[in-house]
């Protein structure tokens, strides 16, 4: 398969899962054409910089924090929502840097996480079967907006651009100045134990020279940080027109030439022998293949095998061990370290049986130390309450992460990252945590239109779990 010719449209000849039936093919073609002339949302240099950071993660030298909404809505493109998510990711990073003594690479599920795979194309609403909500890029959550509208693909581009613009602007303007971590505050978190733990860490960070070494002792590194973007690459009609044959330096740029905003393009190199052309999916720095679309001979794997971005693959109870190696051989035939992140999501009850098998299959093969192992403790732990509310128990999420850390240690591999659904808002969507949220509390502030997210406090508790594991 890997030796077959590839271009951004070869996926069209393959069978495809989760593909929408667009009502107006002519309209779709027109939108796709328009998208193909829009400027890239991210620069290849940024993509290459992220790939080189992920190589460090694969080698155990850095830690990857990825998080954001399950389904980002166009409505979330708003100052407060964007800032609170950036701040939460940065606060978690502080805890993780302190605990792991490693650099933390941050990727938001932001600025493009608009397409959702669904287990059923329709759902019941007031006794009527209506089309399921498939994410703002295709249809609207409101019952009157469930028809698929190709114009939404263009809207998704514009909302991604506006979100990304504000992420870049905030970071360039010092939202993440690590000189002032204490000033960030802990928002909605009122738990005194968590607050005390967090402030002990931030003040020790301010004092310790070792921290400065970890982040390379550079004052400009202290003033700003990087935040990359990601989404599930589900809608290939959207990904294809944003995939471009572009040049980037053959050697990855140094830490200063990456996506810190605003990021100037590198100096023009007159000697083109240094530049390497490749297909970059410029819709985000990192995209991943979901659990429902990773069939070896299907369209998504075909599309992903040709792009130069670092990519993720969700791995779950339905992934045969033999598929795992075939996926790596297809998606990363050159065995670039950090190119593939395996995002494991088994569920608290299955991780103990399945993760060791998957680790051995990969680490005993030619892909040893080549992948980033990332734990997604969310998607194997979704349940419905008797009254039909989709939720997750914080204890299950905590247990899957704890088990994954333990198993990787036992197997001699490195758990290099976590993948979380979270929000900076004080939502009540997951049960438990130190607040002890119960079923009756879920309705207090349940605002997700898809999967239940961790609130700020629950997310920080997970960061402490990882920090404690590595600092012991
Ligand atoms: C998701 O990450 O929101 C998702 C749908 O995950 P998965 O593909 O692992 O089910
Ligand atoms: Mn989800």
């Amino acid at each position: 398969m890997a030796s077959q010719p590839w271009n951004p449209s070869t996926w069209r000849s393959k069978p495809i899962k989760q593909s929408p039936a667009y009502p107006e093919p002519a309209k779709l073609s027109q939108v796709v054409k328009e998208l193909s002339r829009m400027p890239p949302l991210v620069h290849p240099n940024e993509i290459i910089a992220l790939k080189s950071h992920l190589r460090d993660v694969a080698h155990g030298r850095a830690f990857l924090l990825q998080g954001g909404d399950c389904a980002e809505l166009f409505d979330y493109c708003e100052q407060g929502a964007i800032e609170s998510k950036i701040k939460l990711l940065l606060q978690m990073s502080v805890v993780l840097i302190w605990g792991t003594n490693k650099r933390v690479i941050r990727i938001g599920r932001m600025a493009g996480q608009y397409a959702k795979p669904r287990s059923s194309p329709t759902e019941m609403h007031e006794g009527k079967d209506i089309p399921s909500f498939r994410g703002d890029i295709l249809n609207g959550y409101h019952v009157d907006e469930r028809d698929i509208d190709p114009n939404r693909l263009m809207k998704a581009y514009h909302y991604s651009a506006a979100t990304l613009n504000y992420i870049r602007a905030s970071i360039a303007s010092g939202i993440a100045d690590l000189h002032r971590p204490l000033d960030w505050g802990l928002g909605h978190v009122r738990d005194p134990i968590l607050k005390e733990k967090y402030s002990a860490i931030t003040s020790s960070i301010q004092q310790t020279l070792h921290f400065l070494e970890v982040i390379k002792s550079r004052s400009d590194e202290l003033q700003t940080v990087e935040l990359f973007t990601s989404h599930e690459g589900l809608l290939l009609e959207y990904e294809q027109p944003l995939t471009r044959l572009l040049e980037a330096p053959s050697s990855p740029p140094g830490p200063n030439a990456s996506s810190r905003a605003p990021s100037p393009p590198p100096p023009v190199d007159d000697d083109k022998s240094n530049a390497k052309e490749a297909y970059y999916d410029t819709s985000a720095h990192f995209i991943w293949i979901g659990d429902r679309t990773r069939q070896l001979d299907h369209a998504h794997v075909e599309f992903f095998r040709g792009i130069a971005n670092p990519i993720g693959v969700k791995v779950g109870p339905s992934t045969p061990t033999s598929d795992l190696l075939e996926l790596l051989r297809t998606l990363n035939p050159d065995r670039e370290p950090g190119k593939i992140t395996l995002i494991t999501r088994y569920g608290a009850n299955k991780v103990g049986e399945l993760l060791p098998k998957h680790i051995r299959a990969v680490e005993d093969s030619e892909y040893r130390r080549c992948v980033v192992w990332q734990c997604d403790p969310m998607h194997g732990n979704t349940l419905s309450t008797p009254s039909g509310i989709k939720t997750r128990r914080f204890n299950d999420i905590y247990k899957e992460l704890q088990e994954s850390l333990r198993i990787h240690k036992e197997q001699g591999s490195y758990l290099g990252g976590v993948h979380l659904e979270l929000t900076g808002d004080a939502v009540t969507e997951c049960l438990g945590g130190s607040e002890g949220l119960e079923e009756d509390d879920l309705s207090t502030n349940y605002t997700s239109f898809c999967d239940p997210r961790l609130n700020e406090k629950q997310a920080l508790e997970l960061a402490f779990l990882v920090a404690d594991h590595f600092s012991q």
Side-chain angles (χ1 to χ4, degrees):
M1 184 175 176
S3 57
Q4 296 293 310
W6 183 94
N7 68 54
S9 67
T10 49
W11 62 270
R12 289 179 184 274
S13 64
K14 306 276 177 182
I16 187 164
K17 299 269 194 221
Q18 296 284 334
S19 180
Y22 291 94
E24 302 163 86
K27 181 75 211 162
L28 174 68
S29 309
Q30 190 195 332
V31 172
V32 167
K33 199 167 150 206
E34 279 170 36
L35 277 172
S36 68
R37 57 168 292 279
M38 298 303 281
L41 289 169
V42 302
H43 195 280
N45 282 9
E46 300 173 322
I47 295 173
I48 286 193
L50 175 60
K51 200 157 42 171
S52 90
H53 291 322
L54 292 176
R55 185 187 55 213
D56 290 343
V57 178
H59 289 156
R61 293 194 292 262
F63 192 83
L64 169 63
L65 169 64
Q66 186 172 11
D69 296 294
C70 174
E72 196 180 8
L73 297 190
F74 293 163
D75 275 356
Y76 299 170
C77 183
E78 176 265 314
Q79 179 176 357
I82 298 170
E83 278 177 2
S84 68
K85 236 164 289 163
I86 298 176
K87 283 189 174 176
L88 178 54
L89 289 172
L90 292 170
Q91 284 170 328
M92 293 172 77
S93 309
V94 165
V95 173
L96 291 167
I97 292 170
W98 170 81
T100 60
N101 267 341
K102 296 177 202 286
R103 267 186 316 124
V104 170
I105 315 307
R106 284 158 288 259
I107 308 181
R109 282 175 64 118
M110 286 174 89
Q113 175 51 20
Y114 300 122
K116 295 310 300 173
R118 301 318 307 237
S119 34
S120 164
T122 57
E123 65 190 20
M124 286 305 275
H125 177 78
E126 293 174 355
K128 251 178 67 193
D129 222 13
I130 61 165
S132 301
F133 173 52
R134 305 180 67 147
D136 263 351
I137 194 169
L138 284 178
N139 59 1
Y141 185 76
H142 194 274
V143 285
D144 298 339
E145 296 175 328
R146 291 294 172 94
D147 289 340
I148 289 173
D149 175 4
N151 287 319
R152 284 177 170 268
L153 269 71
M154 185 52 84
K155 280 195 179 170
Y157 174 91
H158 287 294
Y159 279 109
S160 298
T163 305
L164 186 55
N165 178 61
Y166 193 62
I167 293 174
R168 292 180 190 275
S170 304
I171 286 180
S173 307
I175 192 177
D177 184 339
L178 292 181
H179 285 110
R180 297 182 286 111
L182 280 169
D183 296 351
W184 296 345
L186 271 194
H188 311 287
V189 178
R190 272 183 269 281
D191 182 332
I193 301 173
L194 216 59
K195 265 184 127 86
E196 202 180 301
K197 251 179 129 172
Y198 183 74
S199 75
I201 288 174
T202 49
S203 42
S204 108
I205 283 172
Q206 284 173 323
Q207 291 156 11
T208 9
L209 207 79
H210 187 66
F211 177 75
L212 295 179
E213 283 164 16
V214 171
I215 55 171
K216 297 211 181 74
S217 293
R218 303 167 60 126
S219 60
D220 60 340
E221 293 270 332
L222 283 169
Q223 272 150 17
T224 187
V225 295
E226 293 167 315
L227 177 61
F228 297 95
T229 59
S230 70
H231 58 259
E232 177 173 347
L234 182 68
L235 221 60
L236 301 181
E237 289 85 359
Y238 178 76
E239 304 302 333
Q240 182 190 330
L242 290 169
T243 297
R244 315 281 167 81
L245 187 61
L246 295 169
E247 271 179 11
S250 53
S251 55
N256 290 324
S258 57
S259 77
R260 284 209 318 251
S263 85
V268 177
D269 188 354
D270 286 339
D271 175 8
K272 289 280 190 288
S273 62
N274 247 349
K276 220 165 123 186
E277 272 196 334
Y279 280 100
Y280 293 90
D281 185 342
T282 64
S283 70
H285 301 107
F286 178 101
I287 58 173
W288 73 86
I289 309 180
D291 197 51
R292 295 168 180 79
T293 47
R294 64 169 136 62
Q295 304 78 11
L296 276 162
D297 52 357
H298 277 47
H300 288 82
V301 170
E302 171 61 17
F303 176 76
F304 274 71
R305 80 177 171 94
I307 58 173
N309 305 54
I311 58 179
V313 183
K314 292 282 194 115
V315 173
S318 63
T319 314
T321 308
S322 56
D323 270 22
L324 206 51
L325 277 184
E326 280 310 303
L327 278 166
L328 294 178
R329 288 175 186 142
T330 305
L331 296 168
N332 187 16
D334 298 333
R335 281 184 281 158
E336 282 179 88
K339 161 83 189 177
I340 310 274
T341 295
L342 293 177
I343 312 168
T344 63
R345 29 89 78 223
Y346 306 103
N349 295 332
K350 295 185 180 152
V351 62
E353 187 206 330
L354 297 171
L355 179 58
K357 287 185 194 160
H358 285 165
I359 292 176
R360 288 278 49 90
V362 174
E363 297 297 328
D364 294 343
S365 77
E366 69 274 26
Y367 287 90
R368 181 176 162 73
R369 295 273 154 185
C370 191
V371 305
V372 170
W373 290 101
Q374 188 188 38
C375 171
D376 164 0
M378 314 294 296
H379 287 90
N381 293 311
T382 314
L383 55 95
S384 276
T385 64
S387 56
I389 304 172
K390 212 174 179 188
T391 188
R392 291 161 171 154
R393 285 191 206 96
F394 181 78
N395 277 355
D396 293 340
I397 297 170
Y398 193 90
K399 187 173 159 214
E400 180 162 356
L401 180 55
Q402 194 171 40
E403 278 284 280
S404 300
L405 286 161
R406 182 189 63 74
I407 292 166
H408 276 285
K409 195 170 175 191
E410 201 173 271
Q411 297 289 330
S413 45
Y414 173 60
L415 180 67
V418 287
H419 185 118
L420 304 172
E421 289 184 341
L422 50 78
T423 169
D425 304 332
V427 297
T428 52
E429 297 173 3
C430 294
L431 296 165
S434 57
E435 275 162 327
L437 281 184
E438 292 181 20
E439 235 171 276
D440 286 347
D441 302 321
L442 289 179
S443 58
T444 314
N445 193 21
Y446 193 108
T447 60
S448 174
F449 290 93
C450 204
D451 289 341
R453 301 156 297 177
L454 299 163
N455 60 29
E456 191 181 28
K457 186 171 169 177
Q458 293 167 328
L460 272 170
E461 284 183 66
L462 292 185
F464 280 118
L465 166 65
V466 176
D468 288 345
H469 173 88
F470 284 105
S471 61
Q472 271 157 25

